[in-house]
Amino acid sequence: MEPVALQTPRVTLSIPVEADIEDIHRACQDADIQRYTTVPSPYLREHAEQFVRWSKGRWDAGINLDWAIRQDGAVIGMIGLYRIGGGSAEIGYWMARCHRGKGLLHEAAAAVIDWGFDREGVGAERIEWRAVVGNRGSARVAQRLGFRYEGTLRRALSNSFGRDDAWIAGLLRDDDRTIQSWPVFTD
């Protein structure tokens, strides 16, 4: 599959390239990104270099697709569709700390979801979201996107910190995408 660029009113999404390595490396020094995603900890420059090299091959294979979220040319986050196949995919994302809380990740994720469901894109029937239990920021984005909370998976995710329980939510192509009530939020 050839890489596809997506545009929203405030951000551009495109495949990560060599010129993005410094931005990616800097953002991934954030302890929350290391704790709640699959990036290595500690996150070294060589990890960013390897990630960028692998991104093109991942698009070629059509199973894991990465987009750099860009604002004014700088990488401010990363988003992707993963484990694509059989009519489903999983969305994953991170946003640099200084860009959180501005709705930019929601905007980028909505564009990726639209493309993921589009028959000219992935053509998925279902997109899943998973996060380490306690990652409330990621959960709030998924909730605002209309994902339906489906439960907790025991020790379902692993990263440099070991195995963690995961929250899981799903969104179907024909869901209305209104904000849903999630039992993990009591406020």
Side-chain angles (χ1 to χ4, degrees):
M1 176 179 291
E2 285 298 312
V4 172
L6 302 173
Q7 184 69 51
T8 76
R10 298 184 295 163
V11 297
T12 300
L13 288 75
S14 58
I15 190 170
V17 295
E18 195 169 318
D20 300 328
I21 290 171
E22 189 55 41
D23 287 343
I24 295 168
H25 177 253
R26 185 180 319 106
C28 288
Q29 299 311 298
D30 181 338
D32 286 339
I33 291 174
Q34 291 181 23
R35 175 65 186 99
Y36 290 126
T37 72
T38 58
V39 303
S41 180
Y43 193 83
L44 308 174
R45 182 179 172 82
E46 64 197 49
H47 294 126
E49 292 167 352
Q50 185 177 53
F51 173 74
V52 168
R53 278 196 311 273
W54 286 354
S55 288
K56 175 69 170 103
R58 290 159 58 107
W59 272 91
D60 290 343
I63 298 170
N64 296 304
L65 312 177
D66 302 303
W67 286 272
I69 304 170
R70 303 171 193 286
Q71 189 174 51
D72 300 324
V75 174
I76 62 169
M78 201 64 59
I79 192 164
L81 289 174
Y82 307 105
R83 296 185 240 331
I84 297 168
S88 68
E90 181 180 332
I91 193 167
Y93 42 75
W94 58 257
M95 180 66 69
R97 182 173 298 280
C98 63
H99 295 282
R100 294 178 193 155
K102 301 175 183 177
L104 298 169
L105 183 53
H106 179 270
E107 192 174 305
V112 168
I113 290 166
D114 288 345
W115 186 81
F117 284 138
D118 192 304
R119 298 206 191 287
E120 298 297 315
V122 171
E125 292 291 328
R126 172 185 168 84
I127 296 177
E128 289 184 356
W129 164 91
R130 297 174 190 224
V132 171
V133 167
N135 188 346
R136 294 174 63 84
S138 181
R140 287 286 189 203
V141 172
Q143 182 189 36
R144 283 189 56 226
L145 289 162
F147 279 83
R148 273 70 169 162
Y149 177 81
E150 296 176 342
T152 300
L153 303 173
R154 297 178 309 139
R155 294 188 190 158
L157 298 177
S158 70
N159 63 18
S160 298
F161 295 88
R163 296 200 70 80
D164 288 294
D165 292 349
W167 285 328
I168 185 169
L171 186 64
L172 304 180
R173 179 186 294 158
D174 56 356
D175 283 343
D176 63 16
R177 299 202 206 173
T178 57
I179 295 174
Q180 302 296 304
S181 174
W182 285 27
V184 298
F185 297 123
T186 57
D187 51 356

